[in-house]
Amino acid sequence: MSDKVKVCIVGSGNWGSAIAKIVGANAAKLPQYDERVTMYVYEEMIEGKKLTEIINTTHENVKYLPGHKLPPNVVAVPDIVEAAKDADILIFVVPHQFIRNFCGSLLGKIKPTATAISLIKGFDVAEGGGIDLISHIITRHLKIPCSVLMGANLANEVAEEKFCETTIGCRDMKLAPILRDLFQAHHFRVVVVDDVDAVEVCGALKNIVACGAGFVDGLALGDNTKAAVIRLGLMEMIKFVDIFYPGSKLSTFFESCGVADLITTCYGGRNRRVSEAFVKTGKSIKELEQEMLNGQKLQGPITAEEVNYMLKNKNMENKFPLFTAIHKICTNQLKPADLIDNIRNHPEHMEFHQRN
């Protein structure tokens, strides 16, 4: 890396803009980072003006994070190659379905010594079906290492500087303090662990469980039922990682990326909100996404579909009744009210747990 670490944020939605507040402030304040932080912004017209020009003159992302000032050293750039070409650290925070296209645009156009960190919660579909981790895609396509940042981090609350924790998964212990200092703030506390895959998988799977929590809210079944969905969801998350990404540590599930992110997403967050409306209105997920999310994407139903593909392939749907039921409700194969019957007979309830 050069004397000063140069940073580029790839993406400028709700979460990208919230993280730009922290990263921009740290880059301006800390001597090890170059002050100028570039932020790739998908160019769109807002009331006759370019979004990048609005951000660079008013320092506010009026579309995705209205009412919050971005640090003036965060510079919006509409060309992804231009934004990323000098960066030592690339922070990826775009909807997961676009990641391959972005990697295609950047291949050969970035510093070979650069490193990436993914803040993207979701999986991509692997060739031949199943799931592909976003950090693995970035590493494979750009030939650079990729860490991950996941936690109980609802974007608007982070932007409002309400206290929260987050987890960075990073295998390179020399890089860990550089990443930690870039993201750490008085209201945003970072714990670094080396269990990268488990950190990332938690960030995607909890969106499935949040859909289940939303169905419970839509059915007005109460907090006890929701707690059961959250607990069984956590058990299925742990089991899924154990089967498909063996070697992870149980302790990782008790970091912010695990149980904390699961709880906050099941009580706040867009997956829960849209799933509640799905039960109450009878409209399709797609219609509700368009009505409620201001152009943002819903991750839970897509992730449920990708996970279901893997479970079907291994003939394991019955071992993951919660994930399976949520997928079937999202795709109208089951009614929301069937959720409880599907988890009532959960294998968890059939096992006799011997506690030491």
Side-chain angles (χ1 to χ4, degrees):
M1 288 189 179
S2 60
D3 294 344
K4 295 246 182 192
V5 177
K6 292 188 168 72
V7 180
C8 168
I9 301 169
V10 181
S12 58
N14 188 233
W15 182 213
S17 300
I19 217 69
K21 281 188 69 173
I22 294 173
V23 167
N26 283 340
K29 180 175 69 187
L30 299 170
Q32 63 266 45
Y33 304 101
D34 191 279
E35 186 172 346
R36 183 177 188 265
V37 173
T38 56
M39 178 167 76
Y40 164 67
V41 174
Y42 175 75
E43 192 68 280
E44 43 193 316
M45 300 303 287
I46 310 280
E47 295 179 359
K49 288 188 183 151
K50 291 179 172 171
L51 183 55
T52 49
E53 285 175 13
I54 297 172
I55 292 171
N56 289 335
T57 51
T58 68
H59 307 295
E60 183 183 348
N61 187 336
V62 290
K63 175 149 188 194
Y64 294 112
L65 195 66
H68 290 280
K69 286 288 180 206
L70 299 178
N73 58 312
V74 174
V75 181
V77 181
D79 177 329
I80 189 169
V81 173
E82 188 57 38
K85 65 175 198 258
D86 296 324
D88 298 298
I89 297 175
L90 291 160
I91 300 168
F92 283 94
V93 54
V94 291
H96 78 267
Q97 45 273 51
F98 302 137
I99 195 67
R100 288 172 199 269
N101 288 349
F102 285 134
C103 288
S105 309
L106 291 173
L107 181 61
K109 311 275 174 60
I110 56 171
K111 286 184 177 175
T113 53
T115 189
I117 181 165
S118 169
L119 278 58
I120 301 168
K121 292 178 177 177
F123 296 128
D124 201 58
V125 184
E127 283 164 32
I131 61 179
D132 205 348
L133 297 190
I134 304 297
S135 65
H136 293 190
I137 294 171
I138 292 168
T139 293
R140 216 167 47 236
H141 284 259
L142 291 181
K143 309 193 175 10
I144 58 173
C146 186
S147 303
V148 297
L149 180 150
M150 304 278 152
N153 307 142
L154 296 176
N156 288 346
E157 293 183 17
V158 173
E160 286 157 13
E161 302 191 2
K162 293 176 174 169
F163 178 83
C164 68
E165 303 172 308
T166 200
T167 311
I168 289 178
C170 175
R171 288 185 188 91
D172 179 348
M173 285 302 114
K174 286 199 291 294
L175 181 61
I178 296 168
L179 292 176
R180 184 198 60 219
D181 292 350
L182 183 60
F183 289 98
Q184 180 113 280
H186 69 98
H187 65 284
F188 195 72
R189 306 310 284 174
V190 177
V191 175
V192 184
V193 299
D194 62 3
D195 199 358
V196 182
D197 287 352
V199 172
E200 182 168 4
V201 174
C202 282
L205 293 180
K206 53 99 199 189
N207 284 329
I208 304 178
V209 186
C211 290
F215 298 149
V216 168
D217 288 341
L219 295 161
L221 290 172
D223 283 336
N224 296 341
T225 305
K226 191 142 108 173
V229 165
I230 292 170
R231 187 189 79 82
L232 292 168
L234 182 62
M235 299 299 288
E236 291 195 10
M237 285 164 63
I238 293 169
K239 189 187 284 189
F240 186 90
V241 170
D242 205 33
I243 291 168
F244 293 100
Y245 298 93
S248 292
K249 302 180 184 76
L250 188 62
S251 59
T252 303
F253 294 93
F254 296 93
E255 297 293 347
S256 183
C257 60
V259 66
D261 195 10
L262 178 62
I263 292 167
T264 197
T265 314
C266 287
Y267 279 91
R270 62 185 94 146
N271 290 284
R272 188 214 63 78
R273 208 168 69 241
V274 174
S275 298
E276 180 181 12
F278 175 77
V279 176
K280 287 182 168 171
T281 65
K283 292 180 180 175
S284 73
I285 297 275
K286 201 166 187 55
E287 283 174 276
L288 292 165
E289 190 178 64
Q290 285 163 346
E291 279 176 31
M292 297 172 69
L293 294 184
N294 187 28
Q296 290 180 294
K297 291 283 171 221
L298 201 62
Q299 306 291 12
I302 311 172
T303 307
E305 187 174 353
E306 291 154 1
V307 163
N308 187 257
Y309 182 95
M310 288 175 80
L311 297 179
K312 250 195 171 129
N313 263 1
K314 289 210 183 275
N315 205 14
M316 282 187 181
E317 281 182 301
N318 60 336
K319 281 192 172 26
F320 294 85
L322 182 66
F323 288 176
T324 303
I326 289 166
H327 166 65
K328 287 185 169 168
I329 292 166
C330 289
T331 52
N332 294 317
Q333 299 172 59
L334 284 177
K335 292 188 188 70
D338 297 333
L339 178 70
I340 302 311
D341 282 340
N342 273 54
I343 59 174
R344 201 188 302 276
N345 303 319
H346 198 283
E348 257 293 294
H349 298 142
M350 304 297 147
E351 289 168 15
F352 174 63
H353 287 288
Q354 279 189 303
R355 309 281 184 212
N356 291 328

